[in-house]
Amino acid sequence: MATPYDRKLVLETGEEFYGRGFGDARESVGEVVFDTTMVGYQEIVSDPAYAFQIVVMTYPVIGNYGISDDDFESRAPLAAGLVVRDYNDQPSNFRYTRTLAEVLEDSHIPGICEVDTRRLARLIRDGGSRRALLTSAETPVEKALERLAETPVRRDAVERVSCKKRWYYRTSNHRFNVVAVDLGIKLSVVRCLSARGCNVTVVPWNTSAEAILAMKPDGVLFSGGPGDPRDIPETIETARALRGKLPIFGIGEGHQVVALAYGARVYKLKSGHHGGNHPVRCLETGALAITAQNHNYAVDAGSLKDTGLRLTHVDILDDTVEGLDCEEDRLLTAQYCPESAPGAANGDTRFDRFVQLMKEAGNHA
């Protein structure tokens, strides 16, 4: 059938969504998820937790404020693709240095616009996330489904996005030294620690507990990242070995890793949480925060019994676990994005609590 479009997205369930390509022209396979954030497409595309996923933006106009070199969350974005309704290639923003299409092309990420993103998001919401192929409009659907079936599901996402050697982010007159285990760390997380007087040493995902303790840190952070946390047993063992030895903060996938280290279980969500409008309640105070989230897996609340972990925060939309702590071990976690990039800046009190735990430990600089 003749079509005015040059690209299409083919879901593994056979649905086809036609559109026009922008960014890189390559073919790409990934799990399709939708993100409800209204602004922050640059942070989303460059968030390592979106590695090898095709992101559908539900906000209709994308690209209108361009790209700023100061707002990247990683040095090498690894998203599998970007799907939007209307793409604007003439940004209006005094800070912009490049267009979104230019960044996608440089990062080898294909994009497609003029897609019915409302219908696509409803399919994912109702039927669950699924794999898809972003390809030429001329590719027969049978051939597309064959390519999807032949492409294995990635189990090395964290290994791919994590740093290969340690690196440092120092601040003047620091008060604390923090080791951050890089499962796909966002630069805004490092900046949040730095703003609170922390020198940060970022280490690869498979760094051992012995190597971390040899650095004599005041605290350890396990970052967010992509994929199933059960694919990185080495990191889970590191978290288990560090229990009670120094303050620990887990964010995103790091939250799940810590829970697994304490004996809890995780499960995959139907369509994940992706966006900047998730209400999370603090069970201790009753306070409600509107948070940004980006995760496909969650901690099973029923598995927390006898782990020593206490439930502190829940998502009021579906009661998923959003925060844990263990006072005895000076540990806390956040499933949501406390760095609020993108998102409302009312979730970053967990960083303040982590700093307080390091202060109470009493061995800081």
Side-chain angles (χ1 to χ4, degrees), residues 171-178 188-200 249 338-339 345 347-356 358-359:
T171 186
S172 59
N173 301 315
H174 76 281
R175 299 160 56 206
F176 307 98
N177 292 300
V178 173
S188 56
V189 169
V190 179
R191 297 186 192 108
C192 281
L193 291 170
S194 177
R196 289 163 173 79
C198 301
N199 276 349
V200 183
F249 185 16
E339 71 281 358
D348 62 356
T349 57
R350 300 298 268 175
F351 283 102
D352 297 328
R353 178 60 183 149
F354 181 48
V355 168
Q356 182 62 33
M358 290 190 290
K359 186 182 299 184

Side-chain angles (χ1 to χ4, degrees), residues 34-37 56-62 83 85 117-118 121:
F34 66 87
D35 192 297
T36 58
T37 304
V56 181
M57 301 299 299
T58 61
Y59 189 74
V61 181
I62 300 296
V83 183
R85 175 59 185 169
T117 52
R118 294 181 67 184

Side-chain angles (χ1 to χ4, degrees), residues 43 83 106 108 120 173 175 203 221 231 250-251 297 316 358:
E43 291 87 345
V83 183
D106 290 345
H108 308 298
L120 180 53
N173 301 315
R175 299 160 56 206
V203 300
L221 180 142
D231 290 338
I251 297 176
Y297 292 82
I316 67 171
M358 290 190 290

